[in-house]
Amino acid sequence: MNYGALVFLGAFVAVSLSWFGMVLSPQVQLGRQTQGTNSVNTAELYPVQRPGLAREGLEVYRANGCVYCHSQQVRQSGTAVNVILTDAGTNAAAAADALMKSRAGVTDANAVGLSAGLPKAILTDVDVDRARAAVEALTSAGAKAEIEIVPVGTDIAWNWGIRRSVAHDYLYDSPVLLGSLRVGPDLANVGARLPDANWHYRHLYAPRSVVEGSAMPAYPYLFERRPIQGQPSPDAIESKDGFEIVPTSEARALVAYLLSLRADVPLFESPVSVEPPPQETADTNSAAGTNVVSPQASASAQ
Amino acid sequence: MDPSLLNAPEADEMEPKKDVVPVWLIVLMVMLLYWGAVYFDRQGGWFSPQVYAPYRNLEEVRAYQPGGGAGDLFELGRSVYGQTCVACHQANGLGVAGQFPPLADSEWVNEPEPGRLIRIVLAGLQGPMTVKGQQYGAATMTPFAPILSDQQIAAVLTYVRQNADWGNKAPAVTPEQVAAVREKIANRSQPFTAPELLSISPAE
């Protein structure tokens, strides 16, 4: 018997079903993502196109195979909900009363306890409905409270990111360098947790000079050893015996790319509470402090 | 030779025995299919691009947004504005001269009662109108009654009316106010015109 038509039909159905499942449905689901203003606490646009040097750096990242040991995706296993009381209001006793009568499940609130040491968490790691009930009760009693959202998970505990990665984070990446192995740490948010370019140069040139026991290979060919002529270069990572080691344009591009990797904007689809944007004075302080790598930041680079 | 054997069918030409699929298997398949559909409905987020694990559906993502009681509506409004209104009225709320009127510092937006604004968003607006002394009307506003929920309309109006960056300072709009107006103009199919809106008391 001739089964040709049946075989053809079977193959056709198998190919078209996988096309629907693996090409069309992701396109329908995620294909229309655009740059948005839907970050929760700020009105800034997210994500932004990487600057030109950082886009060159992406090519250096690909060429050197960084993606074989580094992923760029932060995972999240759950979410902790806290209720932060910022203002007990004029009548703390009424607020305590309202809190106890609400569905929040609070049985031991009192006026003195509520009004001392604000702002503070009055409920930690509760069900989100209970948290909403508590905030509603406190607001109706004239107090001010807000819900704090804290993503939890191993990656977040390792300080690799503050929230999970979502499709929006990769809007301008081509190709998306998600990575699948984690010989090294995740880099989805490396620009925010290690913001010092000099640290990155030293780390690329000699990883174990800044991170003890690092398994990363050194990339000395991204640097140039040259005699000091006149003034020493301001960005030399080392100078000795009339020679200095300076990053090549490839190293500069790669570091610009690494610093542009940040996923610390709260998005609707990945909610997280963040500190309000720093004031002017705080800005200058943090700018002056960028050359100092905190012990915690170096430890998290492991 | 037995003559009856001559008439008997040969072994390889015998009709195959027809197996009937047992009823219990069909019932099991239907139950599994039903369970799968219910599971998908609850956990799948209906392919929404905004639902990621550990959240299961859009309501849950919304419930987990940080912030305070009244601040919530404002922040929800910011995202609704960013998805819906920004194309015409612009991110800075200044609109486009001659076509899309400004929302920033507009006397229509800052009316103490939101009745007219809710009507504009629900049923749309066409024809000339004057905002801040300038003529607009080259474009028609879309009716959003079928697109946005009461909560979303209340949120976006609250965002627009309380946006200090735009110089607006008017009371918030509640979902109940939107629901009340929606009921009153349920039979309406035409967009409003500016003179018609001005003939309606904003408190209604």
Side-chain angles (χ1 to χ4, degrees), chain B residues 129-152:
Chain B
M129 78 183 298
T130 309
V131 181
K132 291 166 82 176
Q134 301 283 320
Q135 274 285 325
Y136 294 88
T140 305
M141 168 129 169
T142 318
F144 284 98
I147 301 166
L148 297 178
S149 68
D150 293 341
Q151 164 101 5
Q152 285 172 314

Side-chain angles (χ1 to χ4, degrees), chain B residues 9-91:
Chain B
E10 285 182 33
D12 58 346
E13 281 184 7
M14 280 205 291
E15 286 289 308
K17 187 188 160 199
K18 283 201 171 152
D19 278 324
V20 183
V21 181
V23 175
W24 66 266
L25 193 61
I26 295 176
V27 171
L28 184 73
M29 296 300 269
V30 169
M31 278 166 64
L32 274 175
L33 212 67
Y34 178 74
W35 175 80
V38 169
Y39 185 85
F40 173 78
D41 181 45
R42 291 210 183 135
Q43 314 269 327
W46 281 99
F47 297 116
S48 166
Q50 299 193 307
V51 179
Y52 292 85
Y55 310 107
R56 287 169 301 189
N57 50 51
L58 209 51
E59 285 69 53
E60 204 170 74
V61 181
R62 211 162 271 148
Y64 274 92
Q65 297 302 321
D72 267 347
L73 216 51
F74 187 86
E75 291 304 334
L76 174 64
R78 190 198 295 279
S79 87
V80 175
Y81 189 87
Q83 286 160 9
T84 312
C85 317
V86 75
C88 295
H89 290 288
Q90 307 300 315

Side-chain angles (χ1 to χ4, degrees), chain B residues 175-200:
Chain B
E176 290 75 34
Q177 285 174 306
V178 180
V181 175
R182 195 192 277 269
E183 207 166 290
K184 274 181 210 160
I185 62 167
N187 296 323
R188 190 181 178 92
S189 59
Q190 288 295 309
F192 281 97
T193 59
E196 192 184 353
L197 280 173
L198 289 172
S199 70
I200 300 169

Side-chain angles (χ1 to χ4, degrees), chain A residues 27 45 76 137 157 174 205 233 252:
Chain A
Q27 172 64 27
L45 288 172
Q76 178 182 341
S174 178
Y205 184 73
S233 283
R252 281 178 217 283

Side-chain angles (χ1 to χ4, degrees), chain A residues 79-261:
Chain A
T79 311
V81 181
N82 304 330
V83 176
I84 309 291
L85 185 69
T86 49
D87 183 2
T90 46
N91 190 346
D97 198 37
L99 192 57
M100 281 197 285
K101 280 182 186 158
S102 74
R103 290 178 292 113
V106 180
T107 50
D108 56 350
N110 60 65
V112 181
L114 270 192
S115 43
L118 296 177
K120 65 171 177 188
I122 50 168
L123 290 171
T124 49
D125 204 359
V126 290
D127 186 74
V128 72
D129 294 328
R130 278 180 59 197
R132 291 262 167 234
V135 170
E136 261 170 43
L138 287 167
T139 310
S140 63
K144 277 184 194 153
E146 56 184 60
I147 286 181
E148 187 186 41
I149 301 292
V150 186
V152 288
T154 333
D155 290 3
I156 290 154
W158 279 335
N159 195 22
W160 285 351
I162 58 166
R163 58 161 174 83
R164 66 159 297 148
S165 300
V166 294
H168 229 112
D169 294 325
Y170 308 101
L171 194 61
Y172 290 121
D173 279 1
S174 178
V176 177
L177 298 164
L178 281 181
S180 58
L181 276 176
R182 281 179 164 176
V183 179
D186 189 272
L187 299 181
N189 199 33
V190 71
R193 64 186 165 88
L194 294 166
D196 178 17
N198 283 322
W199 184 91
H200 283 286
Y201 287 132
R202 287 199 299 274
H203 184 237
L204 285 169
Y205 184 73
R208 278 160 295 281
S209 71
V210 284
V211 180
E212 205 181 320
S214 169
M216 187 166 119
Y219 293 88
Y221 54 86
L222 294 177
F223 297 83
E224 189 187 0
R225 182 168 177 270
R226 64 180 186 198
I228 299 174
Q229 291 165 336
Q231 286 286 334
S233 283
D235 52 1
I237 55 172
E238 203 179 317
S239 49
K240 201 174 157 187
D241 304 335
F243 283 88
E244 60 183 357
I245 290 160
V246 288
T248 61
S249 56
E250 283 195 321
R252 281 178 217 283
L254 179 57
V255 169
Y257 171 67
L258 290 174
L259 294 184
S260 76
L261 285 172

